[in-house]
């Protein structure tokens, strides 16, 4: 995004994450007007003058929707799990201070991440599991700290059960994922689902939105998740509660997910596919 096509004499491979600038979701738009102008002008140039690569079939179909003339030339190369085994000796990691049980949502404040619905849903969850906390990571999530309520969140210091950490280092994020009870993904628009991929890699149960890209993970990678309607806070809360009440069952499914994703989706396969394309 927001990069001009370079004037090169050699072939170019262009990797396109998603096309979220073609939508308006909620709240403040993801891009400023000058950025949108740049994207709408330059992305077609990138598609025309490169060998396009996307990470799944859903995003390839987005190419078909918005730029149909480049659909056939677009390549799908799946990604492997983002996490590696934890081998961290960084003394700045403070995961040991988390002496409470928590569920985790790595996210940001953009509209398509659907954070508002999750906060309202967690208020219902907290009525049944009052000691449970919701931890958020990602850019500017440090602004989201307080007590859950029927409107989402009260920005107070007392009785906080929603904790926003902001953008954190990779090793801390990996510790947070592997030590969480569950990883959540309420987003209404995604390409490859990084947080859930990491959760599956660490045998952590997942609750995520019932959207095409997530269903593609389940079908192709043979992983498991508690699905919910991302536009219905009751559906979100019920999916979370279901996992917590039947935790041993979902933990076992998470272990199966780890086995399947580790065998079927490796970075060796990803690298081989790119090598073939090159």
């Amino acid at each position: 995004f927001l990069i001009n096509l370079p004037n090169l004499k050699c072939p170019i491979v262009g990797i396109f994450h998603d096309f979220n600038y073609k939508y308006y979701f909620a709240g403040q738009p993801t891009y400023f007007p000058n950025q949108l102008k740049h994207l709408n002008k330059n992305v077609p140039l990138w598609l025309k003058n490169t060998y396009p690569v996307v990470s799944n079939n859903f995003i390839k179909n987005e190419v078909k929707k918005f730029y149909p003339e480049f659909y056939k030339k677009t390549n799908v190369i799946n990604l492997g799990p983002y996490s590696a085994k934890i081998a961290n000796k960084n003394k700045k990691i403070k995961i040991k201070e988390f002496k409470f049980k928590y569920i985790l949502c790595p996210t940001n404040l953009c509209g398509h991440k659907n954070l508002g619905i999750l906060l309202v849903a967690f208020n219902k969850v907290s009525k049944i599991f009052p000691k449970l906390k919701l931890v958020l990571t990602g850019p500017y999530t440090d602004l989201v700290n307080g007590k859950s309520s029927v409107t989402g969140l009260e920005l107070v210091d007392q009785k906080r059960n929603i904790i926003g950490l902001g953008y954190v280092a990779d090793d801390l994020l990996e510790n947070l994922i592997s030590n969480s009870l569950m990883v959540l993904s309420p987003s209404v628009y995604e390409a490859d689902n990084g947080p859930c991929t990491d959760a599956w890699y660490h045998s952590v149960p997942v609750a995520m939105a019932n959207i095409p890209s997530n269903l593609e993970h389940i079908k192709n990678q043979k992983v498991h998740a508690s699905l919910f309607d991302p536009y219905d806070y009751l559906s979100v809360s019920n999916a979370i509660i279901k996992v917590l009440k039947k935790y041993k069952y979902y933990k076992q499914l998470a272990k199966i997910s780890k086995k399947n994703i580790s065998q079927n989706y490796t970075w060796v396969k990803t690298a081989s596919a790119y090598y073939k394309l090159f």
Side-chain angles (χ1 to χ4, degrees):
F1 286 167
L2 305 175
I3 302 172
N4 292 323
L5 182 72
N7 183 20
L8 302 176
K9 295 181 180 179
C10 62
I12 306 173
V13 173
I15 304 172
F16 299 80
H17 177 62
D18 63 23
F19 297 90
N20 62 12
Y21 62 90
K22 285 293 187 180
Y23 298 90
Y24 172 76
F25 298 98
Q28 181 174 312
T30 305
Y31 297 99
F32 295 114
N34 62 321
Q35 293 176 317
L36 281 174
K37 183 178 179 180
H38 185 282
L39 286 164
N40 283 304
K41 176 183 177 181
N42 284 274
V43 169
L45 297 177
W46 276 94
L47 286 165
K48 180 180 179 180
N49 293 285
T50 69
Y51 292 88
V53 178
V54 295
S55 62
N56 58 26
N57 289 300
F58 168 70
I59 296 300
K60 183 172 182 177
N61 286 330
E62 291 288 89
V63 176
K64 187 177 183 178
K65 179 191 295 185
F66 297 115
Y67 305 103
E69 64 271 32
F70 305 122
Y71 173 74
K72 290 184 178 180
K73 65 180 292 193
T74 300
N75 302 271
V76 176
I77 299 180
N78 298 119
L79 303 178
Y82 301 117
S83 282
K85 291 182 179 179
I86 297 176
N88 175 62
K89 296 182 180 179
N90 187 344
K91 294 182 180 179
K92 294 182 180 179
I93 299 302
K94 298 181 179 181
I95 187 67
K96 292 182 179 179
E97 295 183 5
F98 280 61
K99 296 181 180 179
F100 48 80
K101 293 183 177 181
Y102 66 92
I103 57 180
L104 178 70
C105 180
T107 185
N108 59 54
L109 303 189
C110 292
H112 66 284
K113 295 298 184 178
N114 200 30
L115 189 56
I117 293 291
L118 175 60
L119 297 181
V120 174
F122 184 71
N123 183 59
K124 181 179 179 183
V125 175
S126 66
K127 304 299 181 185
I128 302 174
F129 299 94
K131 294 183 179 181
L132 184 69
K133 297 186 186 297
L134 170 62
V135 175
L136 308 172
T137 67
Y140 303 108
T141 54
D142 51 315
L143 299 174
V144 188
N145 277 277
K147 178 185 176 183
S148 63
S149 71
V150 293
T151 57
L153 176 72
E154 296 175 4
L155 297 172
V156 295
D157 292 329
Q158 295 181 340
K159 296 183 179 181
R160 285 195 307 161
N161 60 354
I162 298 176
I163 301 173
L165 299 178
Y167 192 88
V168 301
D170 290 349
D171 46 7
L172 174 55
L173 178 58
E174 191 160 0
N175 276 275
L176 288 167
I177 290 171
S178 62
N179 286 282
S180 65
L181 290 177
M182 182 191 329
V183 168
L184 309 172
S185 180
S187 178
V188 298
Y189 185 86
E190 289 294 332
D192 188 70
N193 194 319
C196 292
T197 302
D198 286 342
W200 290 315
Y201 181 84
H202 286 297
S203 302
V204 175
V206 166
M208 64 184 186
N210 187 347
I211 58 176
S213 56
N214 286 342
L215 296 179
E216 195 170 330
H217 274 291
I218 292 175
K219 179 182 178 181
N220 294 343
Q221 298 181 353
K222 311 301 180 188
V223 291
H224 299 273
S226 178
L227 296 174
F228 53 75
D229 178 353
Y231 301 100
D232 180 356
Y233 83 94
L234 290 176
S235 178
V236 178
S237 61
N238 289 338
I240 296 171
I241 292 168
K242 183 168 64 173
V243 174
L244 294 172
K245 285 187 173 181
K246 298 182 178 180
Y247 196 75
K248 289 184 178 180
Y249 170 72
Y250 279 96
K251 187 66 175 179
Q252 187 59 38
L253 290 181
K255 291 179 180 178
I256 295 173
S257 297
K258 173 182 173 61
K259 179 181 178 181
N260 290 341
I261 199 171
S262 297
Q263 290 178 349
N264 299 325
Y265 282 77
T266 68
W267 285 106
V268 172
K269 289 185 177 180
T270 301
S272 297
Y274 271 104
Y275 177 75
K276 184 178 180 181
L277 175 62
F278 295 153

